Amino acid sequence: DTGVSQNPRHKITKRGQNVTFRCDPISEHNRLYWYRQTLGQGPEFLTYFQNEAQLEKSRLLSDRFSAERPKGSFSTLEIQRTEQGDSAMYLCASSSVQHEQFFGPGTRLTVL
Amino acid sequence: GQQLNQSPQSMFIQEGEDVSMNCTSSSIFNTWLWYKQEPGEGPVLLIALYKAGELTSNGRLTAQFGITRKDSFLNISASIPSDVGIYFCAGRLRYGGSQGNLIFGKGTKLSVKP
């Protein structure tokens, strides 16, 4: 069990570009969550999967954001046409019925 | 939307001192969690609470789930330099919303002077 992993750890992009982040959850966890964290704030919920089904999306998840978990294992979060306000840490967490949410190290996005 | 009010925002203490921080909400939660986050890393789970009135310890850390289900506190005894970090409370709602997602406080930044 290597924990939740996220790639890349850092991403710098220019405004208007698309970016994609990947999350690999703990292998036996069937639930996967995406959160966004800005400086000085706690994480804010974006979306949640149970296996491959996306069960909830926050109003924070604009139509420029899309998340997938095609085989119920890893997940990707894509942001299209990035804006400076998208600069944040994007955190992934996984859980199971027996285990609470464990977080990955995050992907720090900087939009220039 | 729902908010968690976490206090204090920051603390500067001497090594060896005890620390107390708390979280309150206007909503009822069925789960309270406490996480610690260090710079550049994701939050690490410290303690999970599932029943009103529950008091749980993890080493020098003790947390309680408030009787009203609207608050929780975390105590750290005999602080050491490696306790430095940002501590977040997080709650899961009892009614409405997702059964899964957590609502986080804004964090308490702890600094420890050796």
Side-chain angles (χ1 to χ4, degrees), chain A residues 5-13 18-24 32 34-36 46 65-68 74-79 82 86-92 106-111:
Chain A
S5 63
Q6 293 187 245
N7 288 288
R9 293 292 310 272
H10 304 275
K11 178 71 177 178
I12 300 174
T13 191
N18 300 344
V19 294
T20 300
F21 311 139
R22 176 178 169 127
C23 172
D24 287 89
L32 187 149
W34 286 98
Y35 291 83
R36 183 179 73 182
L46 291 177
F65 288 69
S66 62
E68 293 182 344
F74 74 90
S75 175
T76 57
L77 177 68
E78 180 183 17
I79 309 175
T82 52
D86 297 330
S87 295
M89 175 81 92
Y90 290 85
L91 293 162
C92 174
T107 295
R108 168 75 63 189
L109 173 66
T110 302
V111 181

Side-chain angles (χ1 to χ4, degrees), chain A residues 9 35 37 45 56 100-101 104, chain B residues 35 37 40 50 92 98 100:
Chain A
R9 293 292 310 272
Y35 291 83
Q37 185 177 26
F45 170 73
E56 184 169 347
E100 273 296 346
Q101 293 179 36
Chain B
Y35 286 86
Q37 189 175 28
Y50 299 103
R92 184 176 293 120
S98 166

Side-chain angles (χ1 to χ4, degrees), chain B residues 3-85:
Chain B
Q3 284 188 317
L4 291 184
N5 301 308
Q6 188 171 348
S7 64
Q9 275 190 313
S10 61
M11 304 181 75
F12 296 86
I13 62 168
Q14 201 76 35
E15 183 177 358
E17 288 183 358
D18 296 344
V19 171
S20 185
M21 59 192 78
N22 68 82
C23 239
T24 60
S25 172
S26 57
S27 300
I28 291 174
F29 286 85
N30 70 344
T31 304
W32 283 97
L33 305 171
W34 286 91
Y35 286 86
K36 178 188 177 186
Q37 189 175 28
E38 297 185 26
E41 299 297 328
V44 173
L45 182 64
L46 299 174
I47 292 181
L49 302 157
Y50 299 103
K51 294 181 184 177
E54 182 180 356
L55 185 72
T56 297
S57 292
N58 177 7
R60 294 178 295 105
L61 277 61
T62 302
Q64 185 158 29
F65 192 142
I67 290 290
T68 63
R69 294 182 172 268
K70 293 182 179 181
D71 62 330
S72 177
F73 73 74
L74 174 71
N75 286 343
I76 305 173
S77 63
S79 58
I80 59 178
S82 64
D83 289 333
V84 164

Side-chain angles (χ1 to χ4, degrees), chain A residues 8-57:
Chain A
R9 293 292 310 272
H10 304 275
K11 178 71 177 178
I12 300 174
T13 191
K14 292 183 180 177
R15 190 175 52 187
Q17 298 293 306
N18 300 344
V19 294
T20 300
F21 311 139
R22 176 178 169 127
C23 172
D24 287 89
I26 293 172
S27 58
E28 63 266 27
H29 286 183
N30 62 338
R31 299 174 185 173
L32 187 149
Y33 309 79
W34 286 98
Y35 291 83
R36 183 179 73 182
Q37 185 177 26
T38 53
L39 203 60
Q41 303 294 318
E44 295 174 292
F45 170 73
L46 291 177
T47 190
Y48 153 55
F49 291 84
Q50 181 157 308
N51 300 314
E52 65 274 8
Q54 189 172 15
L55 296 188
E56 184 169 347
K57 292 192 281 189

